[in-house]
Amino acid sequence: MEPRSIEARYEELRGELIDEIRASGIDDLEILRLFHRVPRHLFLPDAVRPRAYENVALPIGYGQTASQPTVQALYLHILRPAPDDRVLEIGTGSGFLTALLALTAGRVYSVERVRDLSARARKVLDDLGITNAALLVGDGTLGWRRFAPYTVIAVSAAAPVLPPALLEQLDDGGRMLIPLGTPREQRITLVRRQRGQVTEEVVSRGCAFVPLLGRYGWDPDTGEACS
Ligand code: SAH
């Protein structure tokens, strides 16, 4: 196909994906517009790029996946990042959610353990002119202490327990979404801190994220939960 018609085809498929997100129950116009504005295909490796607008998780190399679009829409819907929010994202991956967060929040701090994925995400964010997202290569189960506290924390990989450092770095009035459970199945959990009180609420069950590997995640060598 000619480059122009490829872009037109992507545009059409993007519209269908947005219909699917709306059908999943998210009719917030601002969120739907974001999915229109940020071309997901730019964040994906060539091999899966033609599938960018399917509502599925897609492989991005290193055994990792870009999350399912309806799950990311749910994250935005529940976290509702706003211009005065400082967001901590754990698991930059492709950088697609980083971009969606950066276009709604004041500043995004995103941690990824795979150096190459972080570098690739940086390039795409730069190409799109997104300048309010800082990326760090490291163990996100320890958060990013330097810029804490955060009003929003979005964790995109499955944890056995709530990493204590993330809770410590959550500001009062802040909200965090994190998939908690086994490596096979998790519940997306909303953690809130209000006037010093921490509450947890399950917002979605039966999810399958890639594992959060690290000090307070799963052990990369044994697959056991670390603590
Ligand atoms: N929102 C991303 C999701 C990527 S999958 C996207 O849509 O592309 C989750 C990512 O978390 C993977 O890239 C994986 O390498 C990363 N990850 C796993 N454990 C981590 C840790 N302890 N610290 C930082 N990143 C981690």
Side-chain angles (χ1 to χ4, degrees):
M1 262 195 272
E2 291 297 308
R4 254 189 106 142
S5 53
I6 293 174
E7 287 308 315
R9 180 70 186 133
Y10 278 143
E11 176 92 32
E12 191 183 338
L13 293 171
R14 196 145 59 227
E16 288 170 19
L17 174 62
I18 290 165
D19 288 344
E20 214 168 316
I21 293 172
R22 193 184 286 118
S24 79
I26 293 164
D27 55 6
D28 182 325
L29 272 184
E30 260 182 62
I31 295 176
L32 298 174
R33 276 199 204 110
L34 270 181
F35 276 84
H36 194 78
R37 192 167 154 203
V38 185
R40 188 176 187 238
H41 66 272
L42 299 182
F43 292 84
L44 297 173
D46 290 350
V48 292
R49 187 162 290 171
R51 302 184 58 201
Y53 298 101
E54 291 178 26
N55 183 28
V56 291
L58 290 169
I60 53 174
Y62 306 91
Q64 306 305 323
T65 58
S67 313
Q68 191 180 1
T70 42
V71 171
Q72 297 184 318
L74 180 71
Y75 266 50
L76 294 169
H77 182 63
I78 293 176
L79 292 172
R80 297 206 168 274
D84 57 349
D85 278 317
R86 295 158 67 76
V87 180
L88 174 67
E89 179 189 33
I90 306 301
T92 315
S94 65
F96 181 60
L97 185 61
T98 319
L100 300 175
L101 292 166
L103 289 172
T104 49
R107 205 155 171 84
V108 179
Y109 300 87
S110 184
V111 187
E112 168 58 54
R113 65 185 288 278
V114 179
R115 184 171 296 278
D116 271 12
L117 290 178
S118 181
R120 258 199 252 157
R122 173 82 281 158
K123 166 111 185 38
V124 187
L125 294 169
D126 286 348
D127 288 349
L128 290 175
I130 292 174
T131 55
N132 60 334
L135 306 188
L136 175 75
V137 176
D139 179 3
T141 69
L142 304 173
W144 191 346
R145 203 165 291 283
R146 184 167 166 207
F147 299 106
Y150 302 95
T151 45
V152 169
I153 301 182
V155 184
S156 291
V161 292
L162 182 58
L166 297 186
L167 192 53
E168 275 164 31
Q169 293 172 33
L170 184 67
D171 206 354
D172 201 62
R175 57 251 185 238
M176 161 164 43
L177 278 177
I178 179 166
L180 293 174
T182 66
R184 290 173 62 101
E185 193 180 340
Q186 308 92 38
R187 11 181 227 293
I188 300 176
T189 307
L190 172 64
V191 180
R192 269 189 285 214
R193 184 198 291 283
Q194 265 163 333
R195 276 166 257 110
Q197 291 276 75
V198 175
T199 56
E200 286 186 27
E201 181 192 339
V202 173
V203 296
S204 184
R205 289 176 191 278
C207 307
F209 285 78
V210 297
L212 183 72
L213 303 174
R215 176 74 180 85
Y216 294 101
W218 305 95
D219 187 313
D221 300 320
T222 65
E224 301 289 317
C226 305
S227 64

